[in-house]
Amino acid sequence: MVAVQSNNVSAVNEALNEIYVEEEDYDRLRESIDLHDNFDQIGLAQKIEKHELLEMRRVAAYIYKKAGRWKQSIALSKKDNLYKDAMETASQSGDRELAEELLVYFIEQVLTQS
């Protein structure tokens, strides 16, 4: 199946992505997502956003970011304390308001820890 994935056929991409999720192979899943975009991206992100492995949830945030769902991506990153990912997503969004919201979140986190 991997050999024919280069054709970017939805059924093949979805089947391989499912295998990678079942095998918890987040590196190959992310590579598949980067190279082959013909699949239900949001469906996959929703499926793995609550996965027990942090790296799988990180892939979900990455999918949301690639799909332009900045707020969902940042929310997942904040939930897992992946602040660098959240900052990169806010930066890539080009949305000043989103960046300011994230900055306020960081300030609130510091104040509640004091």
Side-chain angles (χ1 to χ4, degrees), residues 3-111:
V4 297
Q5 190 177 22
S6 62
N7 295 329
N8 203 21
V9 174
S10 178
V12 173
N13 295 339
E14 302 235 359
L16 282 170
N17 290 344
E18 181 67 30
I19 290 169
Y20 299 146
V21 169
E22 287 175 16
E23 293 178 351
E24 298 181 335
D25 190 345
Y26 49 83
D27 287 327
R28 290 183 75 185
L29 178 60
R30 187 166 176 147
E31 180 182 347
S32 174
I33 291 165
D34 280 338
L35 297 175
H36 312 287
D37 61 356
N38 189 10
F39 65 96
D40 179 8
Q41 296 178 16
I42 303 306
L44 177 60
Q46 290 172 338
K47 179 178 181 173
I48 63 174
E49 71 181 23
K50 291 181 171 59
H51 198 280
E52 64 185 29
L53 284 182
L54 171 66
E55 286 300 322
M56 282 297 199
R57 296 190 305 272
R58 193 174 192 189
V59 170
Y62 177 70
I63 293 169
Y64 284 133
K65 178 171 73 171
K66 283 186 61 144
R69 294 192 176 197
W70 312 110
K71 286 186 177 190
Q72 284 177 288
S73 177
I74 290 171
L76 277 178
S77 296
K78 287 189 318 190
K79 188 176 177 182
D80 284 324
N81 299 325
L82 297 170
Y83 300 134
K84 181 180 178 193
D85 290 0
M87 289 186 292
E88 288 173 356
T89 300
S91 174
Q92 288 178 10
S93 76
D95 184 335
R96 180 184 177 124
E97 186 177 318
L98 199 56
E100 288 175 1
E101 287 173 11
L102 185 58
L103 188 59
V104 168
Y105 170 80
F106 289 143
I107 292 167
E108 290 171 350
Q109 293 303 304
V110 170
L111 293 177

